[in-house]
Amino acid sequence: MSTAEVLVHAGPHPRRDCPLTVDLPCEHEERAAGVVLTAAGGERLPAQIVPRSPLSVTGEAGGRVRAAFILPSLEAGETLALRAEIGPEPQARADRVAVSDDGGGSASVTVDGDLLTVYRYTGDPARPCFFPLLGPGGKHVTRSWPVAEGVPGEPQDHPHHRSMWVAHGDVNGTDNWSEQEGHAFQLHRDILDAAGGPVCGRLAALNDWTDHGKRKILEERRALTAYALSGDARMFDLDVCFTATECDVRFGDTKEGGILALRVSPAIDGDHGGRIRNSYGAVGEAECWGRRAEWCDYSGEVGGDTLGIAIFDHPSSFRHPTFWHVRDYGMYTANPFGWHDFYADPAADGSHLLPRGASLRFHYRVYLHRGDAAAAGVGDRYHDYANPPQVEVAA
């Protein structure tokens, strides 16, 4: 068994339900299966060994292992001391986050037994999607149609708006956004990882992006990592990596896209009293559409509760801070490419050429919360993601 002392420095922000990772020294990393984190008072924090990269299924290398844990709370300026024990046996634990692939076209993610989402990777006309997406109280925070029919009050426009998805409207001149005649496709190839744990669970998949004739243009890996927070708030990271495996790939300038895209529930949308807010205090579509911001939040009344969906753009994402293609009718996407429309300048060109063999990465965190952006502390939760506490390891 290997041991280490770990110091967590909150820094200038109060921390609450903050997912963290730490690379711990381990003499026999190939045999490391479990980790125990114990505070000075004897309190144990749930922890687990995780792969080093969210898009990799192997995680241990170079005499170190990566452990994930959730910092329950720590006030600004304070430091928490932990003792880490890395051993050959998994910690006796309950897997709060469970990931299950049925092998037939869908994979589910649950937290404490409650469904968070289902990744639907076959059967759709054009591309995979995540439906449903359930927030606090198990309530739908995205539109059900067209994946599910018959929900009263749901508008039936834009049939390519399927709950939560990844897409872009101009990839080497092909339309991998809409489902109109001549559209391109995302073809599922493999589930790369599907594993749960007491702290987090990960679902990773590999897709081929094609033209309208299903001729491959590039490969896309996506990984959803869901966290076990306290209470019924939900939080997950979505990491996307495009690799130009076949040829040079041009991501064209169009607002018809969103590397991460959602169609919010009509109960939340701006046409029904919902509120859009971004990281610099802009409110509503008029102030938020086509603007760059570190995060954006959409909140409203759902079945008597105020619920919200915040999307955080990580500083390491391509062209951070991203532009937001967000509309009162419920469209809600992060799109760094649509300069022509966002700047209202015909000469602006936000296209990007990815040379053959190169990769392009995007990193987002989604926070499904109670209350509006202010009540949910969305700004502080963004700093947990973009400017996390410093974690110091002493052998």
Side-chain angles (χ1 to χ4, degrees), residues 17 48 116 132 209 229 375:
D17 270 343
Q48 68 184 86
L116 169 64
W209 287 40
L229 305 184

Side-chain angles (χ1 to χ4, degrees), residues 43 45 50 62 78 122 126 137 167 175 194 204 206 217 233 265 300 325 334 380 388 395:
E43 178 189 5
L45 273 62
V50 295
E78 291 188 347
T122 62
D175 175 10
L206 173 64
I217 296 174
S265 165
H325 179 28
D380 283 332

Side-chain angles (χ1 to χ4, degrees), residues 75-355:
E75 295 303 317
E78 291 188 347
T79 294
L80 175 67
L82 298 168
R83 176 178 172 80
E85 300 174 10
I86 308 102
E89 300 296 331
Q91 181 184 358
R93 65 187 195 182
D95 284 354
R96 292 186 59 197
V97 184
V99 181
S100 177
D101 174 28
D102 69 4
S106 64
S108 62
V109 181
T110 63
V111 181
D112 295 328
D114 297 326
L115 184 65
L116 169 64
T117 192
V118 176
Y119 181 57
R120 298 166 186 269
Y121 56 84
T122 62
D124 284 336
R127 57 195 63 93
C129 71
F130 296 87
F131 173 80
L133 185 63
L134 302 177
K139 295 181 177 178
H140 288 254
V141 293
T142 55
R143 187 179 69 171
S144 297
W145 191 86
V147 186
E149 304 271 357
V151 177
E154 289 201 330
Q156 298 186 358
D157 56 65
H158 300 81
H160 52 291
H161 291 182
R162 295 175 177 271
S163 181
M164 185 175 84
W165 70 105
V166 175
H168 189 62
D170 183 353
V171 183
N172 274 4
T174 67
D175 175 10
N176 215 321
W177 171 255
S178 81
E179 295 177 14
Q180 297 174 357
E181 184 176 357
H183 68 78
F185 294 86
Q186 296 170 24
L187 303 180
H188 171 81
R189 278 181 54 195
D190 196 10
I191 294 294
L192 302 175
D193 193 9
V199 173
C200 60
R202 178 170 297 155
L203 173 66
L206 173 64
N207 299 308
D208 288 341
W209 287 40
T210 77
D211 65 10
H212 67 282
K214 298 188 176 180
R215 292 178 288 267
K216 183 177 177 181
I217 296 174
L218 58 80
E219 289 183 358
E220 177 240 335
R221 295 184 179 198
R222 67 182 67 176
L224 184 149
T225 304
Y227 298 101
L229 305 184
S230 63
D232 61 358
R234 298 288 179 254
M235 179 178 286
F236 59 88
D237 297 340
L238 189 73
D239 300 284
V240 178
C241 178
F242 297 105
T243 301
T245 52
E246 313 302 307
C247 56
D248 294 349
V249 177
R250 179 180 176 275
F251 289 81
D253 182 321
T254 174
K255 66 179 177 60
E256 306 302 340
I259 301 304
L260 175 56
L262 286 86
R263 177 65 182 263
V264 304
S265 165
I268 290 178
D269 73 34
D271 289 337
H272 295 85
R275 169 177 275 203
I276 305 166
R277 183 177 176 182
N278 72 16
S279 58
Y280 61 87
V283 175
E285 176 183 316
E287 294 184 357
C288 297
W289 183 86
R291 309 295 177 84
R292 305 181 77 162
E294 285 80 5
W295 56 260
C296 192
D297 186 88
Y298 218 134
S299 65
E301 300 296 319
V302 183
D305 290 330
T306 299
L307 302 182
I309 311 169
I311 302 176
F312 304 156
D313 183 41
H314 194 272
S316 63
S317 283
F318 176 71
R319 287 181 179 164
H320 170 84
T322 189
F323 293 85
W324 297 93
H325 179 28
V326 58
R327 298 292 200 187
D328 278 338
Y329 73 85
M331 179 79 266
Y332 183 19
T333 81
N335 177 0
F337 298 109
W339 294 10
H340 175 97
D341 291 287
F342 299 152
Y343 287 125
D345 180 357
D349 181 7
S351 63
H352 177 74
L353 184 65
L354 187 66

